[in-house]
PDB file of all heavy atoms in Angstrom:
ATOM      1  N   ASP A 104     -13.389  11.619   9.996  1.00 86.00           N
ATOM      2  CA  ASP A 104     -13.796  12.677   9.113  1.00 86.00           C
ATOM      3  C   ASP A 104     -12.556  13.573   8.765  1.00 86.00           C
ATOM      4  O   ASP A 104     -12.467  14.178   7.702  1.00 86.00           O
ATOM      5  CB  ASP A 104     -14.888  13.549   9.700  1.00 86.00           C
ATOM      6  CG  ASP A 104     -16.254  12.786   9.656  1.00 86.00           C
ATOM      7  OD1 ASP A 104     -16.440  11.864   8.858  1.00 86.00           O
ATOM      8  OD2 ASP A 104     -17.098  13.128  10.516  1.00 86.00           O
ATOM      9  N   GLU A 105     -11.678  13.701   9.785  1.00 88.00           N
ATOM     10  CA  GLU A 105     -10.507  14.585   9.637  1.00 88.00           C
ATOM     11  C   GLU A 105      -9.522  14.146   8.548  1.00 88.00           C
ATOM     12  O   GLU A 105      -8.744  14.939   7.988  1.00 88.00           O
ATOM     13  CB  GLU A 105      -9.725  14.735  10.945  1.00 88.00           C
ATOM     14  CG  GLU A 105     -10.540  15.440  11.983  1.00 88.00           C
ATOM     15  CD  GLU A 105     -11.521  14.573  12.706  1.00 88.00           C
ATOM     16  OE1 GLU A 105     -11.234  13.365  12.940  1.00 88.00           O
ATOM     17  OE2 GLU A 105     -12.608  15.011  12.940  1.00 88.00           O
ATOM     18  N   ASN A 106      -9.533  12.774   8.192  1.00 91.00           N
ATOM     19  CA  ASN A 106      -8.479  12.357   7.256  1.00 91.00           C
ATOM     20  C   ASN A 106      -9.116  12.047   5.872  1.00 91.00           C
ATOM     21  O   ASN A 106      -8.488  11.410   5.094  1.00 91.00           O
ATOM     22  CB  ASN A 106      -7.715  11.190   7.747  1.00 91.00           C
ATOM     23  CG  ASN A 106      -8.553   9.908   8.113  1.00 91.00           C
ATOM     24  OD1 ASN A 106      -9.680   9.733   7.716  1.00 91.00           O
ATOM     25  ND2 ASN A 106      -7.975   9.006   8.886  1.00 91.00           N
ATOM     26  N   ARG A 107     -10.253  12.610   5.592  1.00 93.00           N
ATOM     27  CA  ARG A 107     -10.871  12.436   4.251  1.00 93.00           C
ATOM     28  C   ARG A 107     -10.172  13.339   3.274  1.00 93.00           C
ATOM     29  O   ARG A 107      -9.881  14.479   3.558  1.00 93.00           O
ATOM     30  CB  ARG A 107     -12.342  12.789   4.327  1.00 93.00           C
ATOM     31  CG  ARG A 107     -13.076  12.426   3.121  1.00 93.00           C
ATOM     32  CD  ARG A 107     -14.593  12.714   3.223  1.00 93.00           C
ATOM     33  NE  ARG A 107     -15.212  12.425   1.991  1.00 93.00           N
ATOM     34  CZ  ARG A 107     -16.252  11.679   1.832  1.00 93.00           C
ATOM     35  NH1 ARG A 107     -16.832  11.192   2.839  1.00 93.00           N
ATOM     36  NH2 ARG A 107     -16.763  11.427   0.647  1.00 93.00           N
ATOM     37  N   VAL A 108      -9.897  12.885   2.079  1.00 94.00           N
ATOM     38  CA  VAL A 108      -9.135  13.657   1.110  1.00 94.00           C
ATOM     39  C   VAL A 108      -9.816  13.505  -0.329  1.00 94.00           C
ATOM     40  O   VAL A 108     -10.595  12.573  -0.558  1.00 94.00           O
ATOM     41  CB  VAL A 108      -7.688  13.132   1.037  1.00 94.00           C
ATOM     42  CG1 VAL A 108      -6.934  13.444   2.264  1.00 94.00           C
ATOM     43  CG2 VAL A 108      -7.543  11.713   0.609  1.00 94.00           C
ATOM     44  N   ASN A 109      -9.409  14.441  -1.169  1.00 91.00           N
ATOM     45  CA  ASN A 109      -9.890  14.455  -2.540  1.00 91.00           C
ATOM     46  C   ASN A 109      -8.730  14.385  -3.529  1.00 91.00           C
ATOM     47  O   ASN A 109      -8.922  14.300  -4.773  1.00 91.00           O
ATOM     48  CB  ASN A 109     -10.707  15.647  -2.866  1.00 91.00           C
ATOM     49  CG  ASN A 109     -12.007  15.717  -2.113  1.00 91.00           C
ATOM     50  OD1 ASN A 109     -12.671  14.651  -2.051  1.00 91.00           O
ATOM     51  ND2 ASN A 109     -12.338  16.801  -1.477  1.00 91.00           N
ATOM     52  N   THR A 110      -7.450  14.507  -2.989  1.00 92.00           N
ATOM     53  CA  THR A 110      -6.232  14.453  -3.837  1.00 92.00           C
ATOM     54  C   THR A 110      -5.414  13.356  -3.342  1.00 92.00           C
ATOM     55  O   THR A 110      -5.461  12.868  -2.184  1.00 92.00           O
ATOM     56  CB  THR A 110      -5.438  15.780  -3.742  1.00 92.00           C
ATOM     57  OG1 THR A 110      -5.051  16.018  -2.410  1.00 92.00           O
ATOM     58  CG2 THR A 110      -6.324  16.992  -4.248  1.00 92.00           C
ATOM     59  N   PHE A 111      -4.508  12.865  -4.233  1.00 95.00           N
ATOM     60  CA  PHE A 111      -3.760  11.667  -3.952  1.00 95.00           C
ATOM     61  C   PHE A 111      -2.232  11.955  -4.143  1.00 95.00           C
ATOM     62  O   PHE A 111      -1.594  11.417  -5.022  1.00 95.00           O
ATOM     63  CB  PHE A 111      -4.146  10.450  -4.921  1.00 95.00           C
ATOM     64  CG  PHE A 111      -5.629  10.240  -4.887  1.00 95.00           C
ATOM     65  CD1 PHE A 111      -6.359  10.302  -6.048  1.00 95.00           C
ATOM     66  CD2 PHE A 111      -6.303   9.971  -3.721  1.00 95.00           C
ATOM     67  CE1 PHE A 111      -7.727  10.167  -6.042  1.00 95.00           C
ATOM     68  CE2 PHE A 111      -7.612   9.756  -3.724  1.00 95.00           C
ATOM     69  CZ  PHE A 111      -8.369   9.857  -4.909  1.00 95.00           C
ATOM     70  N   GLU A 112      -1.689  12.780  -3.274  1.00 94.00           N
ATOM     71  CA  GLU A 112      -0.286  13.151  -3.383  1.00 94.00           C
ATOM     72  C   GLU A 112       0.554  11.973  -3.023  1.00 94.00           C
ATOM     73  O   GLU A 112       0.165  11.051  -2.235  1.00 94.00           O
ATOM     74  CB  GLU A 112       0.023  14.306  -2.389  1.00 94.00           C
ATOM     75  CG  GLU A 112      -0.645  15.600  -2.729  1.00 94.00           C
ATOM     76  CD  GLU A 112      -1.676  15.912  -1.580  1.00 94.00           C
ATOM     77  OE1 GLU A 112      -1.436  15.658  -0.445  1.00 94.00           O
ATOM     78  OE2 GLU A 112      -2.623  16.588  -1.942  1.00 94.00           O
ATOM     79  N   LEU A 113       1.763  11.990  -3.515  1.00 94.00           N
ATOM     80  CA  LEU A 113       2.802  11.067  -3.069  1.00 94.00           C
ATOM     81  C   LEU A 113       3.601  11.681  -1.945  1.00 94.00           C
ATOM     82  O   LEU A 113       3.801  12.938  -1.888  1.00 94.00           O
ATOM     83  CB  LEU A 113       3.752  10.745  -4.302  1.00 94.00           C
ATOM     84  CG  LEU A 113       3.174   9.880  -5.367  1.00 94.00           C
ATOM     85  CD1 LEU A 113       4.125   9.938  -6.627  1.00 94.00           C
ATOM     86  CD2 LEU A 113       3.060   8.484  -4.872  1.00 94.00           C
ATOM     87  N   PRO A 114       4.133  10.885  -1.046  1.00 92.00           N
ATOM     88  CA  PRO A 114       4.897  11.423   0.054  1.00 92.00           C
ATOM     89  C   PRO A 114       6.135  11.993  -0.475  1.00 92.00           C
ATOM     90  O   PRO A 114       6.760  11.461  -1.427  1.00 92.00           O
ATOM     91  CB  PRO A 114       5.131  10.215   1.008  1.00 92.00           C
ATOM     92  CG  PRO A 114       4.804   9.063   0.130  1.00 92.00           C
ATOM     93  CD  PRO A 114       3.930   9.428  -0.931  1.00 92.00           C
ATOM     94  N   ASN A 115       6.700  13.046   0.171  1.00 84.00           N
ATOM     95  CA  ASN A 115       8.004  13.627  -0.207  1.00 84.00           C
ATOM     96  C   ASN A 115       8.951  13.592   0.925  1.00 84.00           C
ATOM     97  O   ASN A 115       9.918  14.346   0.980  1.00 84.00           O
ATOM     98  CB  ASN A 115       7.830  14.962  -0.799  1.00 84.00           C
ATOM     99  CG  ASN A 115       7.281  15.933   0.212  1.00 84.00           C
ATOM    100  OD1 ASN A 115       6.898  15.636   1.354  1.00 84.00           O
ATOM    101  ND2 ASN A 115       7.242  17.272  -0.119  1.00 84.00           N
ATOM    102  N   SER A 116       8.637  12.689   1.870  1.00 81.00           N
ATOM    103  CA  SER A 116       9.599  12.444   2.975  1.00 81.00           C
ATOM    104  C   SER A 116       9.664  10.966   3.287  1.00 81.00           C
ATOM    105  O   SER A 116       9.164  10.212   2.467  1.00 81.00           O
ATOM    106  CB  SER A 116       9.123  13.281   4.223  1.00 81.00           C
ATOM    107  OG  SER A 116       7.834  12.723   4.651  1.00 81.00           O
ATOM    108  N   ARG A 117      10.121  10.579   4.416  1.00 86.00           N
ATOM    109  CA  ARG A 117      10.134   9.186   4.761  1.00 86.00           C
ATOM    110  C   ARG A 117       8.684   8.627   5.036  1.00 86.00           C
ATOM    111  O   ARG A 117       8.546   7.463   5.159  1.00 86.00           O
ATOM    112  CB  ARG A 117      11.055   8.965   5.945  1.00 86.00           C
ATOM    113  CG  ARG A 117      12.467   9.084   5.675  1.00 86.00           C
ATOM    114  CD  ARG A 117      13.325   8.829   6.908  1.00 86.00           C
ATOM    115  NE  ARG A 117      14.711   9.192   6.580  1.00 86.00           N
ATOM    116  CZ  ARG A 117      15.669   8.315   6.503  1.00 86.00           C
ATOM    117  NH1 ARG A 117      15.353   7.023   6.784  1.00 86.00           N
ATOM    118  NH2 ARG A 117      16.854   8.665   6.260  1.00 86.00           N
ATOM    119  N   SER A 118       7.777   9.530   5.276  1.00 91.00           N
ATOM    120  CA  SER A 118       6.431   9.088   5.709  1.00 91.00           C
ATOM    121  C   SER A 118       5.816   8.195   4.613  1.00 91.00           C
ATOM    122  O   SER A 118       6.083   8.382   3.460  1.00 91.00           O
ATOM    123  CB  SER A 118       5.519  10.266   5.905  1.00 91.00           C
ATOM    124  OG  SER A 118       5.984  11.047   6.997  1.00 91.00           O
ATOM    125  N   HIS A 119       5.000   7.373   5.043  1.00 94.00           N
ATOM    126  CA  HIS A 119       4.116   6.549   4.177  1.00 94.00           C
ATOM    127  C   HIS A 119       2.747   7.143   4.081  1.00 94.00           C
ATOM    128  O   HIS A 119       2.208   7.525   5.154  1.00 94.00           O
ATOM    129  CB  HIS A 119       4.090   5.064   4.662  1.00 94.00           C
ATOM    130  CG  HIS A 119       5.405   4.363   4.648  1.00 94.00           C
ATOM    131  ND1 HIS A 119       5.440   3.074   5.125  1.00 94.00           N
ATOM    132  CD2 HIS A 119       6.625   4.771   4.370  1.00 94.00           C
ATOM    133  CE1 HIS A 119       6.732   2.751   5.035  1.00 94.00           C
ATOM    134  NE2 HIS A 119       7.401   3.714   4.564  1.00 94.00           N
ATOM    135  N   TYR A 120       2.172   7.260   3.002  1.00 96.00           N
ATOM    136  CA  TYR A 120       0.748   7.628   2.857  1.00 96.00           C
ATOM    137  C   TYR A 120      -0.087   6.439   2.560  1.00 96.00           C
ATOM    138  O   TYR A 120       0.162   5.637   1.610  1.00 96.00           O
ATOM    139  CB  TYR A 120       0.594   8.647   1.667  1.00 96.00           C
ATOM    140  CG  TYR A 120       1.087  10.034   2.022  1.00 96.00           C
ATOM    141  CD1 TYR A 120       0.927  10.974   0.942  1.00 96.00           C
ATOM    142  CD2 TYR A 120       1.615  10.463   3.189  1.00 96.00           C
ATOM    143  CE1 TYR A 120       1.431  12.293   1.200  1.00 96.00           C
ATOM    144  CE2 TYR A 120       2.168  11.735   3.385  1.00 96.00           C
ATOM    145  CZ  TYR A 120       1.965  12.636   2.409  1.00 96.00           C
ATOM    146  OH  TYR A 120       2.442  13.938   2.588  1.00 96.00           O
ATOM    147  N   ALA A 121      -1.169   6.251   3.396  1.00 97.00           N
ATOM    148  CA  ALA A 121      -2.059   5.143   3.199  1.00 97.00           C
ATOM    149  C   ALA A 121      -3.428   5.694   2.875  1.00 97.00           C
ATOM    150  O   ALA A 121      -3.947   6.448   3.589  1.00 97.00           O
ATOM    151  CB  ALA A 121      -2.117   4.293   4.458  1.00 97.00           C
TER     152      ALA A 121
END
Side-chain angles (χ1 to χ4, degrees):
D104 288 338
E105 294 81 38
N106 63 14
R107 190 178 175 129
V108 295
N109 294 315
T110 60
F111 310 120
E112 296 114 32
L113 286 166
N115 63 353
S116 66
R117 288 181 188 247
S118 293
H119 297 180
Y120 285 177

